[in-house]
Amino acid sequence: MERAQFIFVLVMAGLLAASCGGGGGAEPTADEAPAPAADAKPAPDLTQAGSVSGKVSFGGDTPKNARIRMDADPVCVKEHSGIVRSQDVLIGDGGALINTFVWVKSGLEQYGFDTPSEPVTLDQKGCIYTPHVLGIQTRQKLKVLNSDGTTHNVHPLPRNNREWNQSQRAKGKPLIRSFPRAEIMIPVKCNVHPWMKAYIGVVPHPYYAVTGTDGAFSIENLPPGDYVIEAWHEKFGVQEQQVTVQASEAKEVSFEFSG
């Protein structure tokens, strides 16, 4: 047995025997941290709601992402036909910056928002977290899937929420969790496959977006007001812009990052 695969087997055995938070065969588990009391603030009046939309772009030479070597786990290798690279910096056509988290950082403090009933899904496919960047509202359920034929170990590393670390067997039951407190951003890793990572933006309201292949974002149904809009990228940091949204106004904002 090659050394890398031997080390992988040892890591797997240790995780299955003593994984923090329980084994992959456990029932779905909710966040055990106490959730704050429901917001008593009024919901915003959306009769004259506007929107903020735009594009996030990258200026400069496109960086080359590091190659991911999955040799330690043959199951991961079989999921890919060619070279796999990290998702640190993904650039689309016209310099579109993919996987940028855009959200309303301030201007909504006077409002209260219901927790969405539908969960947000984070999957593990091909030994890669999908999506790489996602948003979720405080107290909303996060459903973690394992679509792979190998064991993973889901390990978020929050600063403002409770840390947890739970193994999940091949194609096992979903893990159900939530985050009671807002936090930008929570990194997620896998203790079995060190190249796996994702980022979760936890916000107290529904006004956020993640840029896709065109670098575009759209935040809809925003009540009139003065706001700070923040764009976060894992490699290039954050940018902020102050915007005023008038009644029924469609505001346009753009961000440009450089390496």
Side-chain angles (χ1 to χ4, degrees):
M1 181 180 296
E2 295 184 2
R3 178 177 176 83
Q5 294 187 16
F6 176 72
I7 294 174
F8 171 76
V9 170
L10 290 179
V11 172
M12 290 279 290
L15 289 170
L16 289 173
S19 173
C20 299
E27 291 297 321
T29 307
D31 194 332
E32 296 175 1
D39 235 329
K41 298 176 182 178
D45 180 0
L46 301 179
T47 56
Q48 293 184 306
S51 65
V52 174
S53 62
K55 183 175 180 178
V56 183
S57 58
F58 176 78
D61 297 330
T62 302
K64 187 175 182 180
N65 290 327
R67 181 176 180 177
I68 295 175
R69 299 188 181 276
M70 303 181 176
D71 301 22
D73 190 340
V75 174
C76 298
V77 174
K78 290 179 181 178
E79 292 292 324
H80 301 275
S81 58
I83 293 175
V84 182
R85 295 192 180 275
S86 74
Q87 297 178 300
D88 294 356
V89 182
L90 297 181
I91 308 296
D93 292 341
L97 188 56
I98 304 169
N99 285 333
T100 305
F101 187 77
V102 184
W103 68 297
V104 177
K105 182 176 182 180
S106 66
L108 293 165
E109 293 78 11
Q110 69 272 37
Y111 301 122
F113 301 91
D114 293 333
T115 302
S117 57
E118 289 296 315
V120 172
T121 299
L122 176 64
D123 200 357
Q124 296 157 104
K125 300 173 66 175
C127 301
I128 298 290
Y129 280 123
T130 304
H132 183 65
V133 176
L134 66 151
I136 192 170
Q137 211 170 312
T138 49
R139 299 187 291 274
Q140 186 177 8
K141 297 303 181 185
L142 174 69
K143 180 167 69 173
V144 184
L145 306 179
N146 183 0
S147 296
D148 288 329
T150 188
T151 295
H152 290 298
N153 193 265
V154 187
H155 189 178
L157 298 165
R159 302 177 305 277
N160 197 34
N161 286 277
R162 180 174 180 174
E163 180 180 349
W164 53 274
N165 173 12
Q166 188 164 350
S167 63
Q168 190 176 26
R169 294 178 181 173
K171 302 185 186 300
K173 296 178 180 178
L175 305 178
I176 307 297
R177 292 280 179 164
S178 64
F179 301 99
R181 290 166 285 278
E183 185 165 349
I184 308 293
M185 303 282 288
I186 298 177
V188 184
K189 68 176 184 177
C190 172
N191 289 354
V192 180
H193 308 101
W195 63 83
M196 290 180 63
K197 60 180 179 179
Y199 295 91
I200 301 174
V202 185
V203 295
H205 53 68
Y207 299 108
Y208 62 86
V210 179
T211 59
T213 56
D214 59 357
F217 67 91
S218 182
I219 299 175
E220 306 288 339
N221 291 319
L222 194 60
D226 298 320
Y227 300 103
V228 173
I229 308 297
E230 181 178 88
W232 172 97
H233 189 272
E234 64 180 282
K235 286 296 182 183
F236 305 129
V238 299
Q239 291 186 16
E240 294 181 357
Q241 290 196 40
Q242 295 184 344
V243 300
T244 297
V245 177
Q246 305 288 350
S248 304
E249 181 182 16
K251 197 81 171 187
E252 291 190 6
V253 177
S254 62
F255 296 89
E256 181 175 344
F257 290 85
S258 59

